[in-house]
Amino acid sequence: PAPAIVILGGGLGGVELALATAHRLTELGRKPRITVVERAAQALSGIGSGARAALLAHLDRQGVQLLTGTVAVQVDAGCVHLADGREIQADLVLGVAGARPQGWLAETGLDLTDGYVTVGPTLQSSDPAIFGAGDCVALSHAPRPKAGVFAVRQAPVLLHNLRAALSGQGVLRRYQPQRDYLKLISTGGKGAVADKWGLRLDGPLLWRWKDRIDRRFMAKFGAFPAMPAAPLPAKHAAGLAE
């Protein structure tokens, strides 16, 4: 029988995973039944209308069902239960929901925005001795969606400001995020959709560009030098050296 797969989250990650799964299993001769469940009334709300229409068309061609305005409330062996009472058969469930704040942040006493720690241009919270960056914070001066591109570019500012604050020397730098960023979404095969400033591009050339970017990034994690072993104490457990 066709494998039934449910993907929780209808953002860019969920849609890209749905298309990749559909492509791979179809290639293996096992055409799947894939359902994407999205909490919001509309999937892919974070991109331009052109790119969104292109991705929805790709989902339709792959036979992926998109359910919006509902959430999963329970996952059993072989079934996903939705808040509206529907049940979906599932041989595999994949969670690709967006960022959400950790509950313990509410206990810190820091100012929060929608559960995230509120920080200003210097990445300082309401307690100037506490800094924050990435998906755990909300930028009070320039709200942006939770995306790695912003977290990566906050890192040099965070490093500089931590050094300045700890040493008492130097002026704190300000972080000003870019207005938009390029999104490259694979469509399963050797194709991709691009979105930036509401403009849409679609095709195999984009996939080759995305593939090079992704491989170059992943290569950074594949060849770490071996760390030297710490010297053992004079008395140690037998076999520890080996």
Side-chain angles (χ1 to χ4, degrees), residues 220-235:
K220 297 177 181 178
F221 302 92
F224 291 119
M227 296 177 65
L232 295 176
K235 291 184 178 181

Side-chain angles (χ1 to χ4, degrees), residues 185-216:
I185 308 98
S186 171
T187 54
K190 293 186 176 182
V193 171
D195 175 75
K196 188 174 183 181
W197 298 317
L199 302 176
R200 160 211 165 176
L201 294 170
D202 188 356
L205 287 176
L206 290 171
W207 181 86
R208 288 198 286 272
W209 184 19
K210 175 178 171 59
D211 189 53
R212 284 198 298 271
I213 293 172
D214 289 348
R215 288 182 184 276
R216 188 164 60 242

Side-chain angles (χ1 to χ4, degrees), residues 121-175:
T122 58
L123 303 180
Q124 289 169 291
S125 69
S126 54
D127 181 337
I130 298 179
F131 293 73
D135 285 357
C136 71
V137 304
L139 301 174
S140 61
H141 66 296
R144 292 293 187 275
K146 300 292 181 273
V149 64
F150 300 122
V152 167
R153 297 190 180 189
Q154 288 165 11
V157 177
L158 179 65
L159 175 61
H160 173 89
N161 289 353
L162 286 174
R163 282 176 167 167
L166 289 169
S167 66
Q169 301 175 357
V171 178
L172 298 184
R173 287 171 54 187
R174 295 170 63 89
Y175 169 72

Side-chain angles (χ1 to χ4, degrees), residues 42-207:
Q42 175 179 279
L44 298 168
S45 57
I47 60 175
S49 58
R52 180 176 181 273
L55 289 171
L56 291 177
H58 281 289
L59 288 175
D60 188 60
R61 280 193 288 272
Q62 290 283 12
V64 176
Q65 183 182 21
L66 182 60
L67 301 180
T68 59
T70 188
V71 295
V73 293
Q74 184 175 330
V75 177
D76 295 333
C79 183
V80 173
H81 303 264
L82 302 182
D84 56 19
R86 284 179 289 180
E87 298 180 353
I88 310 172
Q89 179 190 349
D91 300 311
L92 176 66
V93 179
L94 301 168
V96 199
R100 57 178 291 181
Q102 293 290 319
W104 62 266
L105 293 174
E107 303 171 10
T108 62
L110 300 173
D111 289 348
L112 305 180
T113 301
D114 297 327
Y116 299 96
V117 177
T118 306
V119 297
T122 58
L123 303 180
Q124 289 169 291
S125 69
S126 54
D127 181 337
I130 298 179
F131 293 73
D135 285 357
C136 71
V137 304
L139 301 174
S140 61
H141 66 296
R144 292 293 187 275
K146 300 292 181 273
V149 64
F150 300 122
V152 167
R153 297 190 180 189
Q154 288 165 11
V157 177
L158 179 65
L159 175 61
H160 173 89
N161 289 353
L162 286 174
R163 282 176 167 167
L166 289 169
S167 66
Q169 301 175 357
V171 178
L172 298 184
R173 287 171 54 187
R174 295 170 63 89
Y175 169 72
Q176 183 60 44
Q178 62 207 80
R179 288 180 56 196
D180 198 4
Y181 62 99
L182 176 66
K183 308 165 197 70
L184 284 169
I185 308 98
S186 171
T187 54
K190 293 186 176 182
V193 171
D195 175 75
K196 188 174 183 181
W197 298 317
L199 302 176
R200 160 211 165 176
L201 294 170
D202 188 356
L205 287 176
L206 290 171
W207 181 86

Side-chain angles (χ1 to χ4, degrees), residues 1-4 29-33 89 91:
R30 302 193 65 199
K31 180 68 176 176
R33 290 183 289 115
Q89 179 190 349
D91 300 311

